[in-house]
Amino acid sequence: MQYAEITGWGKCVPPAVLSNEDLATFIDTSDEWITTRTGIKERRVCHCNFSDMALVAAKHALAAADLDPMELDLILLGSLTNDSYCPNTASIIADGLGARKAAAIDINSACTGFLYGLHIGTNLIRAGAHKKILVIGGEFITHYMNWSQRDVAVLFGDACGAVVIEESEKETGLLAAKIGCESDAKFAIQITNLGSAYSRLSDEHLYNGWNFGGQEVFKRAVKSMAQACEDVLESTGMSLDDIKLVVPHQANKRILNALAKRIGISEDRVFVNVHKYGNTSAGTIPVALSEALEEKKIEPGDHLLLASFGAGLTWGAGLVRWSDRVNPLKESDADLPPCDKTALEIIQPHIERYLAHQNAST
Ligand code: UT7
């Protein structure tokens, strides 16, 4: 029996920090509202291309696995904020890494992009189709932010993470997963004017708006992630007692608390970093995994429960048995180019554009 061992992990969080106080300088909001409603204190803003972040995360993951990019068979990229749709961004990353033998696939399932990718990659390895796969999840979501929508603009940030999975006889890696999609509620999260729908052939196309049913998404997120977690546990014959740490999608601290309560696990066994980065969509789980390892919260043989939810409305959960190694084999010094601007300076042109558009339409 073949398994897909997670042998490498890495993250890239851009340096520019956008605090709640920064947001309150141009949005009718406050640190108090954002903190109490979401748990978010700050988020990061990317000053370069999304693929630059993905390359840095990938290089750290490859170093941790001590794997030459030429050995990769496949790159799976979960993101909805790709640099480019043609060529696809996974091929930009393959070229940047020098992964000349790797196939390259973009997966657009929003926040669940990493979990979907890990599920697909794991099963390709277990079926014998591939041996070494790089799974990336991340987002340059501030690029598409409508800075005049306070109910959305305070929630998101930019980051990227990656793991290497390799064929192994050890019973480790993603042992079970359940993924799904509540497509009847697909418009509960929508970035408008993005894509080739015929209705978008208008001069409005530069101005992305967000349709965001916050409360509906909140309720569905808790319910779907909890159900998926229970289904995955049942399919493996395990119980919550077997789980060391839940590593969920980081959208809102209140969602994480409600998830913990619903599945019946104490909050201290749920990994949380949403206060530092906000919701980085497909980036949340791989970044959280990297940080849980950095913080020594994962030990050899530990069982982890991953849970995710996002636009689509896609959802999923997965049970991971960690392998016998929790330290990187090698370190990479890969980093983003220096950033000489504050987060507010980076987004200032976008803020002006959206506020001007809002004023023109009222
Ligand atoms: O990754 C994808 C998954 N995404 C999510 O899971 C997000 C799920 N939803 C949420 O996290 C929460 O629903 C939100 C954080 C988006 C909103 O929290 P809420 O407790 O559901 O607030 P609400 O939508 O009920 O809004 C309450 C009030 C409203 O004012 P009124 O109508 O009561 O006067 C809003 O206009 O808060 C107002 N409000 C704000 N006030 C200050 C909305 N956004 C803001 C803001 N600052 N940024």
Side-chain angles (χ1 to χ4, degrees):
M1 183 79 134
Q2 294 301 318
Y3 296 92
E5 182 178 350
I6 300 174
T7 56
W9 54 89
K11 67 169 186 183
C12 177
V13 290
V17 176
L18 187 68
S19 67
N20 291 348
E21 288 80 6
D22 289 334
L23 286 169
T25 63
F26 66 96
I27 293 177
D28 180 15
T29 191
S30 64
D31 173 51
E32 199 266 335
W33 190 95
I34 303 170
T35 304
T36 52
R37 299 290 178 129
T38 72
I40 300 166
K41 296 301 285 184
E42 57 190 40
R43 69 288 293 140
R44 303 295 175 103
V45 175
C46 186
H47 63 289
C48 45
N49 286 332
F50 168 68
S51 60
D52 296 322
M53 280 197 294
L55 275 169
V56 170
K59 286 176 183 172
H60 286 284
L62 286 164
D66 192 15
L67 191 74
D68 188 313
M70 281 294 279
E71 291 185 66
L72 285 172
D73 304 313
L74 176 62
I75 296 173
L76 293 169
L77 171 65
S79 181
L80 65 91
T81 52
N82 293 333
D83 297 16
S84 157
Y85 293 92
C86 185
N88 68 336
T89 300
S91 61
I92 295 173
I93 293 161
D95 186 44
L97 292 173
R100 303 272 169 252
K101 294 181 184 162
I105 302 175
D106 289 0
I107 300 171
N108 176 2
S109 56
C111 304
T112 56
F114 175 77
L115 186 61
Y116 270 34
L118 187 63
H119 176 61
I120 294 166
T122 296
N123 283 291
L124 286 170
I125 287 177
R126 293 187 70 170
H130 298 285
K131 292 188 190 315
K132 295 175 194 298
I133 300 178
L134 178 66
V135 185
I136 305 170
E139 224 72 73
F140 185 179
I141 199 86
T142 61
H143 186 81
Y144 289 113
M145 192 43 64
N146 182 334
W147 296 105
S148 60
Q149 274 185 262
R150 69 175 181 173
D151 57 332
V152 181
V154 304
L155 302 178
F156 292 92
D158 304 327
C160 192
V163 297
V164 172
I165 52 176
E166 298 187 57
E167 184 186 62
S168 167
E169 287 180 3
K170 292 180 234 163
E171 194 178 351
T172 60
L174 186 70
L175 298 184
K178 172 113 190 230
I179 62 170
C181 179
E182 294 169 21
S183 57
D184 57 318
K186 59 191 172 298
F187 291 129
I189 305 175
Q190 181 191 22
I191 303 182
T192 59
N193 298 327
L194 186 65
S196 65
Y198 201 78
S199 57
R200 288 181 195 130
L201 293 174
S202 79
D203 59 3
E204 293 286 304
H205 70 280
L206 276 177
Y207 298 98
N208 302 125
W210 286 62
N211 291 330
F212 195 77
Q215 291 190 355
E216 180 184 4
V217 176
F218 190 114
K219 285 182 205 143
R220 285 178 181 263
V222 176
K223 200 169 156 211
S224 301
M225 285 195 289
Q227 187 62 54
C229 286
E230 283 162 15
D231 289 349
V232 163
L233 283 173
E234 195 182 323
S235 72
T236 53
M238 290 194 198
S239 75
L240 281 173
D241 293 342
D242 300 307
I243 301 300
K244 170 76 169 296
L245 193 64
V246 181
V247 184
H249 173 51
Q250 310 278 317
N252 183 328
K253 179 70 167 59
R254 284 164 55 221
I255 292 180
L256 303 184
N257 293 349
L259 175 68
K261 192 171 172 200
R262 194 165 176 127
I263 63 175
I265 198 164
S266 59
E267 286 175 18
D268 62 340
R269 283 162 67 203
V270 177
F271 188 83
V272 178
N273 63 5
V274 70
H275 53 291
K276 295 193 287 183
Y277 307 126
N279 180 349
T280 63
S281 181
T284 59
I285 291 182
V287 170
L289 271 179
S290 287
E291 295 201 337
L293 284 154
E294 284 163 20
E295 293 168 21
K296 309 284 180 213
K297 290 187 169 154
I298 300 175
E299 291 175 87
D302 276 349
H303 291 117
L304 314 174
L305 200 49
L306 315 183
S308 194
F309 190 86
L313 297 171
T314 54
W315 53 261
L319 189 134
V320 169
R321 180 178 296 150
W322 204 261
S323 191
D324 45 14
R325 185 166 56 77
V326 290
N327 293 309
L329 286 174
K330 288 192 175 159
E331 305 276 354
S332 164
D333 59 4
D335 205 351
L336 294 177
C339 174
D340 58 5
K341 288 188 173 139
T342 65
L344 267 179
E345 285 167 348
I346 296 170
I347 63 172
Q348 191 58 37
H350 303 282
I351 298 170
E352 283 166 14
R353 195 159 59 94
Y354 277 103
L355 295 183
H357 177 67
Q358 188 191 34
N359 291 338
S361 2
T362 51

